[in-house]
Amino acid sequence: MPVIQRFSQSRVRINANDHPPPHFHVLMNDGREAWVTIAELKIVHGKVSAREIDDVLVWAKTNRDMLAAKFEELQR
């Protein structure tokens, strides 16, 4: 499962052969995890608040096309 980007408190990962909708995982350094949809940048699973991953969401907004392409690539 490739790590796409690292942040001070978390890292972004996209899993191969994952389920829809297209999403990425935010893994917090303390072990918590959130699933975030690529299209809406909405947290759909996990116990992480949007405030805690604001830096990830800002980055994801500017890198949405790359995230969508990477998700698609890893589903083949």
Side-chain angles (χ1 to χ4, degrees), residues 13-29:
R13 182 180 75 198
I14 296 177
N15 296 341
N17 301 315
D18 213 347
H19 57 84
H23 65 283
F24 58 89
H25 297 251
V26 180
L27 303 151
M28 304 299 290
N29 290 345

Side-chain angles (χ1 to χ4, degrees), residues 5 9 12-13 16 21 25 38 42 50 58 64:
Q5 181 70 26
Q9 298 298 317
V12 172
R13 182 180 75 198
H25 297 251
I38 294 170
K42 177 181 171 187
V58 168
R64 193 175 282 159

Side-chain angles (χ1 to χ4, degrees), residues 9-13 20-21 23 26 28 35 39 44-46 49 52 55 58 65 67-69 71-72 75:
Q9 298 298 317
S10 63
R11 62 193 182 279
V12 172
R13 182 180 75 198
H23 65 283
V26 180
M28 304 299 290
W35 302 351
V44 293
H45 178 77
S49 72
E52 291 179 278
D55 56 345
V58 168
D65 290 341
L67 288 166
F71 183 89
E72 192 64 33
Q75 304 320 302

